[in-house]
């Protein structure tokens, strides 16, 4: 009967696509009451207590080498027993595993098959296994310190012989998205291991902590850097601390001395303790971010003697840190290439007085974008049109290549990435416990995301440290459709209305239902709809979300791929409101801090980094607020009874939850610790201020506002706060007699500021709403502190510049706008109204910035006489430049004293303004495309220049722009290493594997490489 079970299981596997080949021998006795049969590509084992299961490939080789179901000849112990499962994917979907009676064998390309068994296996499973604190096993069980140890991606487990009391040494290194900055001249100690559990073993067994970690950790330069010499980390002589938790530090040893001393940079931890992590209101454990000065570090000694600032020789490079080099933390196993466990996580730089930092935002990385060109080719889109497609992943690839180029010539040393790193967490069919699109984000940074086709730029590893924070899309669980039809039955609408609204609020239903149903969760406006027909409508058409991809509607339909079988025509899916709402759902693992991102990219939600006397603050503005995801909520909001955040969500400019009191304290601490002379550079995804409707009128500018006609601001108020300038007379809206002077918080003219008062007064459209007033006051120095220097944001995909000032006499916040950092040549189009109270009577004008233009601006009409011109008539509004931008200032320090804080939005690095010459897509000539990033140039602790670089200009210049040859004395002398030293890489960093298409473990016959 048992032999028949083996044959039946072979057939079952084959039906699932797992073909073990033909039998090599009859069923054989496996001992211990079990049987085995060998096939050409694997074995099937059977036992009454386990059933029949297959083992194949490299895992089978390791299994047999360890004695298989019997004793290991090297130890005399039965380690694993019979298999309990076929080969399956790990809980996170990344690697194949086979589980046995008393253990497991895990396979990864860089570790080979790793055996874990016995009490260590039980303890690992009890700690959460792959999804717990320790992650995947990376080295076989071994004997250490009179006991047994097993090593994992994030730590070690140890127990004494004949004991089940388990010691856990959790490894808490810096991560890719929050790397540690260290001074290579005075390298600090690294308190990277936290012991818990049976910590008394550390007292009973002298030197146990050191023995567990001796010769285990190294720093490996990122491929393509200036050298490939490993830097060994030496553990301290003993763990420190008492009670239920101990800590072990590591040092870089050179000439017999232990590294120590002051550090010029690092993530702030104790004693400031200002990094806020996975729980919205919890401080990350101090062990995550300990820096020099903590008692743990002081036990390691005073440190090495600082050499002079001359370039190091090749002899000095051996085992020492190299300035301006990015390192990965790797785990060593004798006879094996080091396994990278914390890629791109340590950066060596001596001085942070003069350096450059890039700001990127709204990358919107997703795996589905890699397939769109192929889909367009299959559906017959011409090659010249496919070439116009904007793959957001490619923009990041090009940015990485340019960042590496700038780093190699000494013009870049850090990157701020302020949210919407991914477009959404998981693709359809993903393992929900796996990396999702954050895996692609990491692989792009590590250079392990091959280009999907010849049109995409090549991938290469980023050699510049990158600091990340999260945006609202990083919290969204699911993909969204580029377009869809929302199925809404009349009866369903009425039922939602009756259940969602009480009282006599239905009188104006037929007038309101049309506008209520023209919005779809996560996608925004759908278009006009006849209100009477809406009550019996079967479905309504959605607006397509293809603009940022630079597609036409026809191309977007082909990308969606739903083709009618009877003719050459594509259509969009029809979704119920419940299904449509899933496109905006928040990923629970991102909300509670357990998603893959927090173990592999960045443990911290909000934190600040010391760069000499300067401070870099990164704030997580969190997920969408007041998501409107049902028809009844949509209708209630459209009838005027929803929250303002609900209204903004439906207008495709969602508010974010914002920061909390702890994070407000984080900003205060950064400002205080920077002192009077340090830069306070803040990065956040959702901005702290933004005008209602994203309506940034040219007449709001500090240059133009004092002499602007009052009608322009009044027209803005008409659109955004009608009751402030209109009144009802005989059932008709008519202008108020005081319309040009109402709402004094929006001065019509005569002031350089365009707004005075609270943020919630029409300056809170699509912003970080949590503690919005307190945050802006803090940025502006309202509490007597010095102001922040520069706040950089994203979210809206716009390029806006503001400055703010706290007017102590009037006790009010004043907001200004202009082209403060540098004047663009063109800006966003404006609407010039013939009559401010007639919103339909306007002239759309493209905006240019031209020297010599009068303050009031001038209008110009241009006619394109070429045949076939898409937009034959262009209307232009010429405006004057800002008189003294930072770009032309002779005294940058004085400029900042009179302007700070500057608050800017940077347009998306990924999504772009649609520039297609297609009337259906762009009914009028589009404005400028600001898809790109900023380079912030700092000299002697003063921001000298902030350059805006667009992706189109970067690509046109083949990643070599003229500004690079006009330096501002920001080059670190050690930058010469990159051109003088050439070494071959010795570590092949392992990519995050492709993800399986289901949550359920599936048997897969794999080649183990």
């Amino acid at each position: 009967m048992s032999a028949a079970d083996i044959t039946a299981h072979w057939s079952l596997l084959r039906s699932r696509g797992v073909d073990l080949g033909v039998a090599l021998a009859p069923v054989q006795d496996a001992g211990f009451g079990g049987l085995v049969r060998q096939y050409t590509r694997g074995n099937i084992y059977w036992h009454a207590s386990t059933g029949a299961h297959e083992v194949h490939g490299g895992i089978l080789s390791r299994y047999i080498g360890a004695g298989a179901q019997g004793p290991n000849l090297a130890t005399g112990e039965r380690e694993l027993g019979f298999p309990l499962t076929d080969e399956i994917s790990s809980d996170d979907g990344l690697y194949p595993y086979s589980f046995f009676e008393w253990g497991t064998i895990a396979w990864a390309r860089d570790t080979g098959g790793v055996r874990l068994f016995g009490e260590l296996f039980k303890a690992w499973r009890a700690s959460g296994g792959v999804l717990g604190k320790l992650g995947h096993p990376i080295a076989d069980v071994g004997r250490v310190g009179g006991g047994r140890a097993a090593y994992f991606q994030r730590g070690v487990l140890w127990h004494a012989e004949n004991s089940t009391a388990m010691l856990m040494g959790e490894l808490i290194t810096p991560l890719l998205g929050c790397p540690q900055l260290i001074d290579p001249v005075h390298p600090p100690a690294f308190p990277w291991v936290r012991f818990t559990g049976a910590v008394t073993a550390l007292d009973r067994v002298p030197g146990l902590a050191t023995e567990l970690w001796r010769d285990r950790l190294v720093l490996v330069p990122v491929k393509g850097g200036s050298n490939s010499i490993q830097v060994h980390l030496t553990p301290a002589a003993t763990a420190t601390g008492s009670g239920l938790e101990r800590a072990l530090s590591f040092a870089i040893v050179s000439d017999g001395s232990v590294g120590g001393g002051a550090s010029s940079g690092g993530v702030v931890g104790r004693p400031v303790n200002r990094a806020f992590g996975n729980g919205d209101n919890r401080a990350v454990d101090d062990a995550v971010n300990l820096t020099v000065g903590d008692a743990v570090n002081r036990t390691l000694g005073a440190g090495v003697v600082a050499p002079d600032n001359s370039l190091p020789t090749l002899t000095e490079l051996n085992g020492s840190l190299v300035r301006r080099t990015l390192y990965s933390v790797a785990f060593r196993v004798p006879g094996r290439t080091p396994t990278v466990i914390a890629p791109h996580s340590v950066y060596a730089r001596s001085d942070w007085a003069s350096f450059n930092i890039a700001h990127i935002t709204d990358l919107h990385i997703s795996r589905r974008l890699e397939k769109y060109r192929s889909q367009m080719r299959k559906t017959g889109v011409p090659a010249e049109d496919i070439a116009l497609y904007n793959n957001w992943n490619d923009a990041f690839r090009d940015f990485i290549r340019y960042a590496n180029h700038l780093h190699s010539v000494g013009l870049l040393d850090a990157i701020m990435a302020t949210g919407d790193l991914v477009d959404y967490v998981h693709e359809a069919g993903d393992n929900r416990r796996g990396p999702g699109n954050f895996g692609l984000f990491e692989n792009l940074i590590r250079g392990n995301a091959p280009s999907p086709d010849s049109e995409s730029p090549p991938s290469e590893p980023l050699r510049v440290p990158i600091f990340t924070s999260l945006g609202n899309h990083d919290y969204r669980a699911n993909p969204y459709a580029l377009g869809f039809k929302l199925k809404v039955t009349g009866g369903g609408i009425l039922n939602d209305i009756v259940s969602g609204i009480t009282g006599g609020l239905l009188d104006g239903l037929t007038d309101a239902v049309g506008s209520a149903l023209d919005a779809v969760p996560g996608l925004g406006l759908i278009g006009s709809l006849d209100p009477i027909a809406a009550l019996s409508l079967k479905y309504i058409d959605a607006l397509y979300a293809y603009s940022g991809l630079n597609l036409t509607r026809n191309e977007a339909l082909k990308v969606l791929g739903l083709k009618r079988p009877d003719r050459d025509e594509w259509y969009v899916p029809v979704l119920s409101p419940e299904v449509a709402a899933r496109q905006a759902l928040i990923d629970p693992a991102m909300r509670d801090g357990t998603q893959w991102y927090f173990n592999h990219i960045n443990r911290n939600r909000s934190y600040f980094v010391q760069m000499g006397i300067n401070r870099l603050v990164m704030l997580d503005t969190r997920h969408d607020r007041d998501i409107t995801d049902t028809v009844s909520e949509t209708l209630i909001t459209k009838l005027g009874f929803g929250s303002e955040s609900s209204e903004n969500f439906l207008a495709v400019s969602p508010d974010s939850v914002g920061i909390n009191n702890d994070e407000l304290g984080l900003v205060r601490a950064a400002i205080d610790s920077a002192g009077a002379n340090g830069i306070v550079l803040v990065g956040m995804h959702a901005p702290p201020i933004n005008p209602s409707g994203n309506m940034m009128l040219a007449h709001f500018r500090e240059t133009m506002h004092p002499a602007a006609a009052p009608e322009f601001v009044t027209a803005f108020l008409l659109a955004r706060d009608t009751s402030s300038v209109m009144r009802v007379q005989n059932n008709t809206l008519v202008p108020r007699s005081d319309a040009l002077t109402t709402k004094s918080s929006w001065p019509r003219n005569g002031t350089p500021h365009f707004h005075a008062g609270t943020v919630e007064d029409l300056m809170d459209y699509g912003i970080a709403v949590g503690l919005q007033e307190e945050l802006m006051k803090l940025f502006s120095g309202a509490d007597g502190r010095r102001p922040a220097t520069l706040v950089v944001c994203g979210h809206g995909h716009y390029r806006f510049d503001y400055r703010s000032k706290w007017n102590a006499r009037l006790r009010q916040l004043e907001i200004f706008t202009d082209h403060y950092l540098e004047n663009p040549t063109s800006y966003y189009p404006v609407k010039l109204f013939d009559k401010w109270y007639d919103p339909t009577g306007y002239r759309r004008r493209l905006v240019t910035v031209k020297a010599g233009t009068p303050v009031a601006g001038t209008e110009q009409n241009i006619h394109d006489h070429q045949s076939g011109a898409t937009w034959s008539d262009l209307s232009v509004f010429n405006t004057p430049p800002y008189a003294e931008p930072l770009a032309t200032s002779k005294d940058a320090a004085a400029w900042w004293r009179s302007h700070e804080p500057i608050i800017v939005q940077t347009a998306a690095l990924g999504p772009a303004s649609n520039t297609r010459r297609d009337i259906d897509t762009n009914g009028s000539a589009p404005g400028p495309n600001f898809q790109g990033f900023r380079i912030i140039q700092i000299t002697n602790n003063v921001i000298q220049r902030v350059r805006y670089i667009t992706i189109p200009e970067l690509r046109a210049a083949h990643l070599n722009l003229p500004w690079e040859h006009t330096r501002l004395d920001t080059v670190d002398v050690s930058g010469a290493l990159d051109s003088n030293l050439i070494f071959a890489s010795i570590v092949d960093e392992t990519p995050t594997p492709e993800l399986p298409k289901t949550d359920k473990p599936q048997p897969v016959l794999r080649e183990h490489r």
Side-chain angles (χ1 to χ4, degrees), residues 306-582:
D308 60 24
N309 290 324
S310 60
L311 295 179
T313 66
L314 286 174
T315 301
E316 291 170 336
L317 284 175
N318 189 19
S320 301
L321 290 169
V322 178
R323 290 186 286 271
R324 300 191 69 252
T325 298
L326 184 63
Y327 292 88
S328 297
V329 180
F331 181 84
R332 294 182 69 248
V333 174
R336 196 175 80 194
T337 300
T339 300
V340 171
I341 55 177
H344 301 220
S345 58
V346 172
Y347 186 67
R349 198 182 199 280
S350 301
D351 174 66
W352 290 95
S354 299
F355 63 99
N356 291 351
I357 186 167
H359 175 229
I360 60 175
T361 189
D362 295 88
L363 287 65
H364 290 268
I365 300 298
S366 72
R367 302 198 303 283
R368 70 177 179 178
L369 298 175
E370 306 283 74
K371 304 174 183 177
Y372 283 177
R373 283 197 192 95
S374 174
Q375 177 67 13
M376 284 189 281
R377 286 192 199 95
K378 291 177 182 177
T379 55
V381 176
E384 59 270 22
D385 291 333
I386 295 176
L388 299 175
Y389 160 59
N390 175 33
N391 180 347
W392 305 336
N393 304 339
D394 286 348
F396 191 39
R397 287 186 173 98
D398 272 335
F399 171 79
I400 288 173
R401 295 166 64 214
Y402 188 57
N404 288 340
H405 161 67
L406 292 181
H407 183 266
S408 70
V409 296
L411 289 177
L412 191 63
D413 271 286
I415 298 165
M416 309 167 63
T418 56
D420 282 7
L421 309 174
V422 298
D423 205 19
Y424 42 86
V425 178
H426 292 293
E427 300 287 357
D430 270 1
N431 182 329
R432 294 285 159 153
R433 294 174 293 185
N437 281 320
F438 284 113
L440 176 57
F441 173 72
E442 179 185 329
N443 275 334
L444 285 166
I445 289 175
R446 298 179 66 180
N448 291 327
S451 303
D453 47 46
S454 60
E455 290 92 335
S456 286
S459 293
E460 60 183 54
L462 178 63
R463 300 195 298 273
V464 187
I466 184 169
F467 295 92
T468 65
S469 61
L470 296 169
N472 60 312
H473 274 257
D474 295 318
Y475 284 91
R476 291 187 179 180
N478 303 316
Y480 54 88
L482 295 186
F484 64 86
K485 296 178 179 180
L486 181 65
K487 185 176 182 180
V488 183
T489 62
I493 295 172
L494 292 176
N495 290 337
D496 280 333
I497 292 169
V498 172
S499 62
I501 303 177
T502 59
L505 302 179
L506 301 181
D507 294 341
L509 172 61
T510 55
D511 293 328
V513 71
S515 59
L517 292 177
D518 69 358
V520 173
L523 290 186
L525 297 180
I526 293 176
S528 60
L529 179 70
D530 179 73
I532 304 301
L535 297 179
S536 59
L537 193 66
K538 298 299 182 184
Y539 61 81
I540 50 180
D541 284 330
L543 178 71
Y544 303 103
Y546 57 78
S547 180
L549 298 167
N550 208 40
L551 299 175
T552 65
R553 179 173 297 187
N554 183 54
E555 292 162 358
L557 285 173
K558 292 183 176 182
V559 165
L560 278 169
L562 297 178
K563 187 178 183 296
R564 296 185 183 277
D566 54 337
R567 54 186 181 273
D568 191 24
E569 184 177 332
W570 283 261
Y571 58 96
V572 295
V574 178
L575 306 180
S576 68
E578 293 76 18
V579 172
R582 294 174 192 167

Side-chain angles (χ1 to χ4, degrees), residues 2 5-6 9 44-47 50-54 83 85-86:
S2 53
D5 288 344
I6 289 178
H9 196 66
I44 295 179
Y45 296 83
W46 176 91
H47 191 276
T50 63
H53 299 287
E54 63 85 19
T85 68
D86 297 323

Side-chain angles (χ1 to χ4, degrees), residues 831-889:
K831 296 178 181 179
L832 303 181
F833 295 92
D834 296 319
K835 299 175 181 178
W836 68 262
Y837 50 84
D838 180 8
T840 63
Y842 67 85
R843 293 157 286 140
R844 181 181 183 273
R845 297 289 185 265
L846 300 175
V847 171
T848 65
V849 181
K850 297 177 64 175
T853 302
V855 171
T858 61
E859 295 187 53
Q860 180 182 5
N861 292 317
I862 301 173
H863 183 74
D864 187 347
H865 293 281
Q866 300 178 79
S867 60
T870 306
W871 310 289
S872 56
D873 291 291
L874 302 179
S875 297
V876 178
F877 183 52
N878 299 313
T879 63
Y882 182 60
E884 190 192 358
L886 175 64
T888 60
S889 174

Side-chain angles (χ1 to χ4, degrees), residues 134 151 153-157 167-174 189-196 199 202 208-210 212-214 216-217 233 235-236 238-241 245-250 285-290 296 329 331 341 603:
L134 297 171
Y151 292 89
Q153 290 173 319
R154 296 187 293 278
V156 63
L157 289 173
L167 175 69
M168 177 186 291
E170 188 180 356
L171 186 61
I172 312 174
T173 65
F190 307 114
W192 285 351
V193 172
R194 176 177 58 197
F195 285 106
T196 56
V199 293
L202 300 174
L208 173 60
T210 303
L212 283 169
W213 289 102
R214 181 181 292 117
R216 288 299 187 183
L217 296 184
L233 298 178
T238 184
T240 61
E245 187 174 302
R246 309 291 173 85
L248 180 69
S249 293
F250 298 81
D285 192 292
D286 292 342
V288 175
N289 291 317
L290 293 179
V296 172
V329 180
F331 181 84
I341 55 177
R603 294 185 185 90

Side-chain angles (χ1 to χ4, degrees), residues 94-95 108-112 153 223 337-341 343 439 442-443 446-448 596 987-993 1009:
L94 294 183
Y95 303 112
R109 186 184 306 172
D110 55 343
T111 64
Q153 290 173 319
K223 290 188 296 185
T337 300
T339 300
V340 171
I341 55 177
E442 179 185 329
N443 275 334
R446 298 179 66 180
N448 291 327
W596 189 87
V987 171
D988 183 14
E989 297 190 35
T990 304
T992 304
R1009 297 190 179 96

